[in-house]
Amino acid sequence: MSMFRLITLVSLLWGTTFSVFAASQLSTLSQTAKWRALLHYQSQGLNNVEFSEVDDDRFFLSPAGKYDALAELKATIKAFNQTQAGDDAAACRFPARLKWLQRVLPEYNFKTIACPAFDDWYSKVKGDALFLIFPSSYINSPSSMFGHTLLRLDGKQGHQLLSSAINFAAFTDVNDDEITFTVKGLTGGYPGYVSLVPYYEKVNEYNHIESRDIWEYQLKLSHEQIQEFTRHIWELNEIRFDYFFIDENCSYRLLTLLDAVEPSWQLAAPFSYRTVPTDTIRVLATNDLIGEVNFRPSKTTIIEDQRLQLSEPLREVARALADDPYTMQTSPQFTKLSAQQKAQVLDIAYGYTRYLNLKKKDKDASLPKRSLKLLSLRSKVPFTGEAYHPVTVPDVRDEHGHKTLRSTVGASEDFLELGFRINYHDWLDNLSGYREGAQIEMGDVVVRADESHLQLQHFDVISIRSLGPRHRFSQPISWQVNGGYERWLSDDLGQAHIKLGGGYGYDLGFGIAYGFLQTQVANSKRYDHDWRLGAGAELGYLLQRDRFSVWASAQHLASVIESGDSTEYQLGVSIVLSANQQLRLQWQEQQWRQLKNDQLRLTYAIYH
């Protein structure tokens, strides 16, 4: 054998062996959790087929990258080996992929190149602390009732409000009606994007305009993990994910961003079919990723806290000052007050006028002038200390409240019933961690069995109640909407219904008394022509405490179109057994025409 042929043979054998080794290595690498997390691969569908949740071709370098992690890896390596320079180079588009591949494939000697756009952006947002931000719910805003989460990256901006807020949100169409909005939101019809905005914009939006308290959780990430997170955020710039209200929502996407930093956390794994923001905070806590926690009260929380520190006569003076500071400044009601009392009434009056201005609901053009006048009066008061005690930080945060799935078992003398609820909280559920007067339930189903029947007793598709007391500094409209199925006690016939109501609530004793005007459309064999349109009223009283709750109500619906009137009385008492267990005793009487029946049942509930 000639020397040339020998060299050729050895070269072929070496090349073949290397290629086989490289192919095997790349195949193994493409199956690693880190690579698949960088591509946002998740098991999806009933068959648990794994592919990327990114719905944007620009995110993939291989045409098959959404479904084939190996093809995307090969295409990425090929692109990183090209000599292209500048912002359009793959190494500039995907700095997190580049950093990782440089570490796990050092033999490829991938080069770090100059990327003007990325380098400029990175130098501006580069941070050394990452926070999860949780704007909690507000009583009169149904869209806020589940809360929301975003991230904040603190760097060298010098002030938290100047930090970068990293938000994932749906880009909705303002022209969509409510039905279209709901359908598109449930089916992924809206695009969702990761975006960076100054944190003060989010504080203004949630804290000031929407009156939502904000919790700030510092995440226990290392410096290198935060830099890796930042590089990955760049890779998602203007990249589309389909947004789903129920599962692939804001909170879920943030967990997948963190999983891309450290896949072994598997933060998103428990949320394959529903994601509730408070549940995602619990997962972070379970993984010991939460450090220091800060509380940023909303303007309404501050006003309410100050109101409770005032006597009723001082509240009256404060509200009069907010309405007309020019007249009140010479009124004996104001001039006879002590310096601290003057400071108190002026502070809350000024805060109230600023709140009205932010809400943009008060069209009074004199508001800015009144605010300035109140500031002027305050500057002349010889009291330099804090007029009020600081706002009390809640002992129980939202994620410390009961979990959001609920299973129940109940019984009376005549039946046994089982129940399950997908979401979220009702008036008799354990209160700690939730807003007083707020109720939002979805998918609440109860099945009842007696000696001869097994039947559906109750199914709420959705049930929302928003009850807030009215006083000098807040005049909310309380309201309710309910849609679902219910089997009536009076004749054991079921009805599908939609009920709407609105009214006022006021503090009375230790609870809130309320009255609703309401209307209902119902379908049942009980009614003439199977349909009834009813209108009437509900009066009730709600008392909620950390250890127990009481709710009593009476409602009467007169038939607008035939079919007879109906009346219903309810009384419920719940006792907290633990954060995630409860015992509930409920009495109910229902009457339709001359038919009447009542029941008393005892229910055990567990939240999980």
Side-chain angles (χ1 to χ4, degrees), residues 43 149 259 263 281 398:
S43 296
T149 55
D259 277 340
I281 301 173
D398 294 57

Side-chain angles (χ1 to χ4, degrees), residues 18-32 35-36 68-78 81 100-101 104-105 107-108 110:
F18 179 79
S19 297
V20 170
F21 169 73
S24 174
Q25 184 188 30
L26 294 185
S27 179
T28 301
L29 206 57
S30 72
Q31 297 301 315
T32 60
W35 177 246
R36 301 174 90 79
D68 188 338
L70 177 59
E72 184 64 16
L73 178 61
K74 291 178 177 176
T76 302
I77 291 173
K78 182 180 179 181
N81 276 323
W100 180 68
L101 288 174
V104 299
L105 292 176
E107 64 273 25
Y108 279 76
F110 296 118

Side-chain angles (χ1 to χ4, degrees), residues 1 28 72 95 128-129 203 370 426 512 525 530 583 602:
M1 180 181 294
T28 301
E72 184 64 16
D128 49 23
V203 170
R370 280 189 274 155
D426 70 24
I512 304 174
K525 293 179 180 178
D530 294 339
L583 203 58
L602 184 64

